[in-house]
Amino acid sequence: MKQKTWLENIPYPKDLFKWLYKTPILLYRLGLGFLVGRLFMIMTTVGRKSGRPRRTAIEFHEYKGRQYVFSAWGTKADWYRNIEANPHVTIQTWRGAESVLARRITSDAELAEAFAFAMANPSMRSVMKSAGFGQTLEQFLAQKERFTFVTFDPTDHSTPEPLRSDLAWVWGLLLPLALIATTGLVFRVASQWLEKDTAYLLGFAFYWLFWCLLVPELVFKKQGLGSLLKDQKPLFTRGNWLAGLLLLIVTATALAMYGRDFICAPLLMIALAIPLATINGVCEELLWRGLYVRAFPGNPWFGVIVPATGFALWHFAPQTIYPAENQLGFTLSTLFLGLAYGFIAYRTGSAKWTAVSHSLSGILALSGMLAPSFLALFYR
């Protein structure tokens, strides 16, 4: 059998189009369906011949609380032929998975609703125009046999299992690497163009705003960032005694290490350290603890080990401007701190208590170099 050349392996436009429409399936498997979940749904039907679940990524539209899909291939589309055989399907959008009964719209009243949403949607209006559908409701209804609109009704009937986020571990591993690379680049470039204190604060601002706030907000947009600070299990209970004790030990250690210097520090330094350390503590815990324990519930590797390692390695980035006396030793200490915080968050299912402890420890440490850098901007 003759082997294909690299040129023959390049997908033709039709094949490329099919590949692009499979991309949402990959994103849902990665746990990133929220990125496309307002435009593409994953429809899981039962194969009319195989009896197995069949996944289809299909563009959908919402109008007055109802979801509509349009079959460009009419009744010949495989997914449509599957729902003709078994209309009980599962759909997944940005809202999550739903068990529904799929049905073709045939009544004039519902077709009028479909026409209204199609005319209100620029992309659907363009599709209808290119397909030669009428631009008035009367013309639209006169040609209703030429097109296929499907809508969905809630059902208690059993439906196929939804598509699982079985590849979510991929982004769980890649996120720390991307964060370290980008923040390191920001710190390095900023230090070449700006004074050290300004560059240091700019690097942290990028870290907080983009990675610590925007990324968790995108992943948990439906629940909101505040949900990451709500305990799933109470901390101070008999079953969580070890996590509670660990929190007290970590906080007491910070008090023993930094308490004397904090008391002797100038009031202005303390006044600056309180908000800066609180911002840093809450932001970091939302990312490294809240995001991971919620995205990977019940998984100690991705709930504790991976984020603790990423948390430790990220500390090399700001040290490109203000290196610690013992960079490796400092990074190892943040690894152990991350493991302790990770265990606490893993046991409670939230970043609430770790955010409190992290912020308090940062205040006692006078926010590291954040407050001094901020103060230096006003005493040049």
Side-chain angles (χ1 to χ4, degrees):
M1 184 176 179
K2 185 178 178 181
Q3 191 174 11
K4 289 185 178 181
T5 65
W6 68 271
L7 187 61
E8 293 173 312
N9 283 320
I10 296 177
Y12 290 98
K14 184 178 178 181
D15 297 326
L16 182 62
F17 183 77
K18 289 182 178 179
W19 181 84
L20 288 174
Y21 261 80
K22 289 182 179 180
T23 302
I25 295 179
L26 176 60
L27 289 174
Y28 274 90
R29 291 184 64 193
L30 287 168
L32 302 176
F34 61 88
L35 295 175
V36 294
R38 293 178 182 271
L39 180 61
F40 288 97
M41 70 165 55
I42 303 300
M43 184 190 302
T44 304
T45 61
V46 177
R48 59 193 181 280
K49 296 180 180 178
S50 67
R52 297 177 179 179
R54 294 291 182 237
R55 323 284 187 188
T56 303
I58 187 167
E59 186 177 354
F60 76 100
H61 304 272
E62 285 190 355
Y63 185 73
K64 294 184 178 180
R66 180 168 286 278
Q67 297 152 329
Y68 298 88
V69 297
F70 173 71
S71 175
W73 298 97
T75 57
K76 296 180 180 180
D78 283 335
W79 64 263
Y80 183 81
R81 295 170 71 183
N82 286 342
I83 66 173
E84 278 189 314
N86 184 349
H88 297 98
V89 304
T90 302
I91 60 174
Q92 291 167 266
T93 66
W94 65 279
R95 290 194 176 95
E98 300 175 68
S99 296
V100 295
L101 179 71
R103 60 181 176 83
R104 182 179 179 180
I105 296 174
T106 55
S107 71
D108 286 356
E110 285 192 306
L111 285 170
E113 287 286 330
F115 177 78
F117 102 75
M119 289 297 100
N121 185 284
S123 63
M124 281 302 302
R125 189 165 60 243
S126 176
V127 168
M128 292 181 64
K129 184 177 180 181
S130 63
F133 297 154
Q135 298 300 297
T136 67
L137 178 59
E138 291 73 19
Q139 293 172 327
F140 180 77
L141 293 176
Q143 304 176 74
K144 62 183 180 182
E145 297 302 323
R146 293 184 53 202
F147 54 85
T148 306
F149 276 107
V150 173
T151 190
F152 309 93
D153 299 313
T155 183
D156 293 329
H157 195 281
S158 62
T159 59
E161 185 178 350
L163 182 65
R164 292 185 175 182
S165 301
D166 59 328
L167 297 179
W169 61 270
V170 175
W171 71 258
L173 286 177
L174 295 181
L175 186 149
L177 299 178
L179 181 150
I180 293 165
T182 54
T183 53
L185 181 64
V186 170
F187 277 109
R188 185 173 296 277
V189 172
S191 65
Q192 293 175 354
W193 289 87
L194 303 168
E195 294 185 3
K196 293 175 66 174
D197 298 311
T198 305
Y200 192 77
L201 293 172
L202 180 64
F204 266 94
F206 170 73
Y207 170 56
W208 292 336
L209 293 173
F210 182 81
W211 286 107
C212 297
L213 295 179
L214 180 60
V215 170
E217 169 65 21
L218 287 174
V219 176
F220 294 98
K221 190 171 184 178
K222 183 179 177 181
Q223 300 93 330
L225 280 178
S227 66
L228 303 183
L229 297 173
K230 294 180 179 179
D231 285 345
Q232 303 295 297
K233 299 177 182 177
L235 175 62
F236 297 104
T237 60
R238 182 175 296 179
N240 260 349
W241 70 268
L242 182 57
L245 179 61
L246 193 58
L247 179 73
L248 295 176
I249 292 174
V250 169
T251 308
T253 301
L255 181 61
M257 290 176 62
Y258 307 116
R260 179 173 296 181
D261 291 337
F262 177 81
I263 294 173
C264 299
L267 289 177
L268 181 57
M269 186 70 74
I270 294 175
L272 285 172
I274 291 173
L276 289 171
T278 301
I279 291 171
N280 184 61
V282 172
C283 286
E284 289 203 298
E285 293 309 308
L286 284 172
L287 172 67
W288 295 113
R289 256 60 69 178
L291 172 65
Y292 274 86
V293 297
R294 286 296 178 82
F296 303 97
N299 187 326
W301 285 100
F302 281 90
V304 181
I305 307 298
V306 170
T309 304
F311 172 69
L313 293 176
W314 120 260
H315 283 84
F316 279 116
Q319 289 187 79
T320 58
I321 297 180
Y322 286 118
E325 291 183 9
N326 183 351
Q327 293 190 48
L328 181 59
F330 175 73
T331 303
L332 282 175
S333 70
T334 60
L335 173 62
F336 291 122
L337 181 64
L339 290 171
Y341 280 159
F343 179 75
I344 295 165
Y346 177 76
R347 293 295 300 176
T348 61
S350 85
K352 182 175 79 173
W353 293 106
T354 59
V356 172
S357 177
H358 196 152
S359 299
L360 181 58
S361 299
I363 292 170
L364 292 171
L366 297 172
S367 72
M369 288 303 299
L370 286 170
S373 295
F374 196 87
L375 194 59
L377 296 179
F378 298 95
Y379 285 94
R380 288 202 178 116

